[in-house]
Amino acid sequence: MAAQNLQSVPAELTPEEEAAGQAHFDRIIAEDSRIEPRDWMPAAYRKTLLRQVSQHAHSEIIGMQPEANWISRAPSLKRKAILMAKVQDEAGHGLYLYSAAETLGQSRDKMMDDLIAGKARYSSIFNYPALTWADMGAIGWLVDGAAICNQVPLCRASYGPYGRAMVRICKEESFHQRQGFEILLELSNGTPEQKQMAQDAVNRWYAPALMMFGPPDDDSPNSKQSMAWNIKRFSNDELRSRFVGMMVEQVRVLGLTLPDDQICFNEDTKKWEHGPLDWHEFQEVLAGRGPCNAQRLERRREAHDDGAWVREAAAAYAAKQQAKESMTTKEYAA
Amino acid sequence: MSPHGNPDAPASAATEINREAPKASPAPQEHHDRSAWGLWEVFVRSSRGLSHVHAGSLHAPDAAMALRNARDLYTRRNEGVSIWVVPADAIAASDPDSKGSFFESPQGKDYRHATYYTKSEGVKHL
């Protein structure tokens, strides 16, 4: 079992050991300290985390696609280099998160298989198409902006490996949002057509970005438990409201508008409010009936299959080297 | 060297691996299954004078690929000047359940800390 030294392995325990484990877990959560992979944890905590972290990882991996689509059509060499760096970051973020999920006892191959088989979910946002170059700006500004809002509190998630992955990710995300903002700003200060293109992109991505925070609080069954476990620190609506407040300020600098005339600051609650969102659409996209679901999964499958020979060749080479080395060792021994 | 190495040479021929160095713990057999690349833990030294610190983990078929993957994954922004990769199953870890007894010895031994000695307070350079 040496291989699982650093991982979390659910074990058969006696009722006394279970009770002691639960008491230890409760104490750690009450102290707002961190659970580490080899600590005892409730099965439901493990399951919730595994779902959340793997879905998060899948989102990063699928999230490479809308932007990768524009690498070959970026308007300048500088923009191409930036976009490539960003897409490479998304791959990296996916890998940090798969590593974190793995510490919960799930193999990476299983997670990959679930994604490819369409059994796993990922953020609904990546099932929308990136139609113009301005979408690269809107994705960076709105989608990565919403992601940052969501992820900063996750740096303090009670599960150590998840929090550490989020710290790393958040450090890198701010470049993503700023580069998106800059793309929109340049377009907004360009020709009337360019400015219109930027506005259209903001109009398209605004509502899907707000929905990234998840369903409204009264329709989010898992939120309460996740907050009790210190995985989530703020509710979906709370984060969404904060995000709207930030965007209201920033869109002025861009010289653009948000496609929502109901945004207002509620003096009583001290919170930003926004117009109604189409939650039916959200459910449809999550259920696999969004504009690009099929295309995204197909592309992922293709990439996985196309890369098979590389994985096999690398493993074969490693095996050959290993065999050579052990031959040499035997010769010495003889 | 280009940031992604020389495509004409296999990654495993990487010069950053000293092949003459004795291998303390060869990668275990399961690393060579076609389907399962082994798990490696990555340690990064962020600058000269500092220790290597655990950065995370990754999968790779061998040490050379693990190093290259670690560079691409954990040092995309100059976070390191040196990387160690260790097969995850070569690491022995203390048992979290034995926390009490295993770390018992320093408990109650406050006299091992300078703060235990209060009578010297106010005395300069002490």
Side-chain angles (χ1 to χ4, degrees):
Chain A
M1 293 314 282
Q4 274 131 12
N5 250 348
L6 306 178
Q7 295 193 352
S8 167
V9 189
E12 289 288 326
L13 296 174
T14 65
E16 293 76 35
E17 286 169 324
E18 287 280 338
Q22 180 76 53
H24 182 250
F25 177 87
D26 291 344
R27 194 166 60 247
I28 300 256
I29 295 295
E31 286 169 358
D32 199 1
S33 180
R34 300 292 180 266
I35 300 294
E36 292 295 343
R38 296 178 71 218
D39 289 331
W40 185 94
M41 61 187 89
Y45 177 83
R46 181 190 303 275
K47 197 175 154 201
T48 296
L49 268 171
L50 192 54
R51 195 193 61 223
Q52 181 170 342
V53 181
S54 63
Q55 282 181 5
H56 199 155
H58 296 327
S59 301
E60 301 281 356
I61 296 299
I62 296 289
M64 289 193 277
Q65 292 186 32
E67 290 173 307
N69 186 33
W70 279 90
I71 290 177
S72 61
R73 284 172 286 165
S76 68
L77 193 56
K78 177 183 119 179
R79 289 289 168 202
K80 187 189 292 241
I82 292 173
L83 198 54
M84 283 171 66
K86 180 171 190 291
V87 172
Q88 196 191 7
D89 273 356
E90 309 297 0
H93 297 176
L95 294 179
Y96 304 154
L97 288 161
Y98 281 129
S99 284
E102 243 175 325
T103 64
L104 290 159
Q106 178 79 284
S107 85
R108 193 170 304 203
D109 286 346
K110 172 81 169 70
M111 289 186 269
M112 294 279 181
D113 289 349
D114 284 352
L115 175 61
I116 288 172
K119 285 189 220 158
R121 279 182 169 179
Y122 54 86
S123 176
S124 59
I125 194 82
F126 301 114
N127 290 317
Y128 292 88
L131 300 177
T132 68
W133 170 250
D135 287 43
M136 296 304 96
I139 290 176
W141 179 51
L142 289 168
V143 175
D144 290 305
I148 292 173
C149 229
N150 221 345
Q151 289 170 353
V152 167
L154 288 174
C155 294
R156 294 189 289 124
S158 59
Y159 189 58
Y162 189 32
R164 292 193 284 275
M166 292 318 308
V167 168
R168 201 171 273 280
I169 289 172
C170 285
K171 272 188 198 158
E172 299 179 351
E173 286 284 356
S174 55
F175 133 61
H176 296 180
Q177 196 188 13
R178 284 187 180 200
Q179 67 87 37
F181 185 88
E182 203 183 278
I183 288 174
L184 288 176
L185 191 65
E186 269 178 31
L187 289 174
S188 176
N189 291 323
T191 63
E193 290 81 4
Q194 285 173 330
K195 181 164 184 175
Q196 188 58 49
M197 184 166 78
Q199 183 63 59
D200 288 346
V202 169
N203 292 352
R204 273 199 302 278
W205 289 95
Y206 170 76
L210 288 200
M211 291 195 278
M212 283 172 69
F213 293 97
D217 292 350
D218 50 22
D219 190 26
S220 178
N222 301 323
S223 278
K224 216 174 164 191
Q225 180 62 73
S226 281
M227 287 175 77
W229 278 328
N230 293 342
I231 298 172
K232 266 175 93 96
R233 299 288 177 163
F234 302 100
S235 77
N236 295 352
D237 286 336
E238 166 70 30
L239 290 169
R240 189 166 16 242
S241 155
R242 283 191 201 176
F243 177 66
V244 169
M246 292 183 225
M247 294 301 108
V248 165
E249 293 289 316
Q250 295 175 9
V251 79
R252 288 199 199 109
V253 183
L254 288 174
L256 301 173
T257 57
L258 294 175
D260 183 346
D261 52 15
Q262 295 181 45
I263 294 180
C264 63
F265 186 72
N266 184 327
E267 284 294 346
D268 298 330
T269 59
K270 301 285 175 206
K271 286 189 199 311
W272 283 92
E273 291 175 359
H274 55 84
L277 294 166
D278 185 351
W279 292 107
H280 175 68
E281 174 185 305
F282 177 77
Q283 294 301 343
E284 284 293 292
V285 177
L286 264 194
R289 292 185 285 273
C292 300
N293 294 57
Q295 177 190 335
R296 298 288 186 240
L297 269 190
E298 186 48 39
R299 180 71 199 97
R300 181 82 275 280
R301 240 175 252 137
E302 236 173 54
H304 191 73
D305 293 346
D306 289 352
W309 73 270
V310 178
R311 295 191 296 275
E312 285 167 23
Y317 183 82
K320 209 167 120 188
Q321 292 302 112
Q322 174 87 6
K324 263 191 199 166
E325 269 171 37
S326 55
M327 283 284 280
T328 321
T329 319
K330 270 182 208 151
E331 278 164 23
Y332 282 138
Chain B
M1 202 165 95
S2 78
H4 294 285
N6 176 0
D8 294 328
S12 304
T15 49
E16 57 266 39
I17 298 282
N18 178 1
R19 297 209 165 276
E20 305 309 315
K23 283 210 167 50
S25 46
Q29 285 306 314
E30 67 197 45
H31 287 189
H32 306 306
D33 291 354
R34 187 213 67 79
S35 56
W37 283 8
L39 183 66
W40 300 74
E41 297 297 330
V42 179
F43 300 81
V44 175
R45 183 201 294 286
S46 57
S47 71
R48 290 184 171 277
L50 298 177
S51 305
H52 287 78
V53 173
H54 186 237
S57 60
L58 50 74
H59 286 258
D62 59 26
M65 285 283 282
L67 270 181
R68 292 196 164 205
N69 290 353
R71 174 199 59 194
D72 292 346
L73 190 54
Y74 292 107
T75 64
R76 287 196 300 283
R77 289 176 175 78
N78 278 325
E79 291 95 336
V81 295
S82 165
I83 300 175
W84 288 346
V85 290
V86 182
D89 46 12
I91 293 180
S94 62
D95 181 353
D97 298 331
S98 67
K99 199 170 280 168
S101 54
F102 193 72
F103 295 104
E104 195 175 31
S105 160
Q107 298 276 329
K109 293 179 183 168
D110 293 350
Y111 50 82
R112 286 181 172 175
H113 296 275
T115 47
Y116 176 80
Y117 305 92
T118 53
K119 290 190 178 160
S120 49
E121 256 169 33
V123 179
K124 279 184 182 170
H125 308 301
L126 191 70

